Amino acid sequence: MDYLASVEIEPNVPATASVIWLHGLGSNGHDFEALLPHLQLEETSPIRFIFPHSPTLNVTINGNALMPAWYDIISLDTSRKINETQLMESAQKVIDLVEREISRGIPSERIILAGFSQGGAVVYQAGLSYSKPLAGILALSTYFPTAEIIQYSDVNHNMPIEIMHGSYDPVVIPKLGEMARDDVIKAGFKPHWRTYPMEHQVCMPQIEDISAWIKQTLS
């Protein structure tokens, strides 16, 4: 199996849970690695963190430049025209990582999928269509471009879905985050929505909330 190259941070004790965390456009798996100390997890926390690196693709909105991307973005209007085939391929690669964690002894119910911006769009597709129960989804400053075509899986209707967005985000405007939330609700899920006074980024109050949510979800 050709898995996505990833940064993997092993816990100090044998892992019994995993968080697979996807970066945004133009970044890489090291991006959110730097947040780990700020999550203030206990020394005995049994969580393995996996930060995959995206493929390198031509991105239309950036002058067709070659850069790290989970899929091509063709236009930046509210409809967000994208290359759906590439997004689906990235979502399958994430599911492959989930399956690898299961093969390493981590129950699917102990695996969180997290993603920022483009990474969050992939996580929505992968997590909400996955055929096995997951621990939860963490969607950061993102949107849900495949909401009209996704084949939802019934097994995850009760999993926690935490959606966080910046009130002043000029890249993925809050309206897109709200639309994703509403689409998820329409599909029968019960997401929790939070906003922060920030742009397209993360902030310390949010990191504290992420820490509390991960601890609660994987307790």
Side-chain angles (χ1 to χ4, degrees), residues 150-181:
I150 188 172
Q151 297 293 313
Y152 290 102
S153 172
D154 292 336
V155 299
N156 280 308
H157 264 124
N158 294 319
M159 75 172 166
I161 300 174
E162 189 73 17
I163 306 175
M164 299 177 170
H165 215 100
S167 301
Y168 311 120
D169 192 334
V171 178
V172 179
I173 60 172
K175 178 65 175 176
L176 287 173
E178 293 166 2
M179 289 167 60
R181 175 200 63 197

Side-chain angles (χ1 to χ4, degrees), residues 19 33 37 45 57 65 69 86 119-120 122 131 134 145 179 185 195 200:
V19 176
E33 178 189 4
S45 172
L57 303 170
Q86 291 173 339
V122 174
S131 61
L134 293 168
M179 289 167 60
I185 291 172
T195 59
H200 197 59

Side-chain angles (χ1 to χ4, degrees), residues 83-101:
N83 187 314
E84 291 178 351
T85 299
Q86 291 173 339
L87 188 153
M88 294 294 190
E89 289 171 352
S90 290
Q92 182 57 53
K93 289 290 188 182
V94 172
I95 290 171
D96 291 343
L97 290 180
V98 173
E99 292 289 334
R100 185 177 68 175
E101 288 308 286

Side-chain angles (χ1 to χ4, degrees), residues 186-199:
K186 287 177 190 174
F189 298 88
K190 298 179 176 63
H192 184 243
W193 167 261
R194 302 192 212 211
T195 59
Y196 302 85
M198 64 180 185
E199 295 191 357

Side-chain angles (χ1 to χ4, degrees), residues 71-75 79-88 118 121 143-146:
Y71 53 86
D72 184 22
I73 301 176
I74 298 160
S75 69
S79 65
R80 280 292 163 113
K81 188 176 181 184
I82 66 161
N83 187 314
E84 291 178 351
T85 299
Q86 291 173 339
L87 188 153
M88 294 294 190
Q118 258 206 348
Y143 60 111
F144 190 6
T146 55

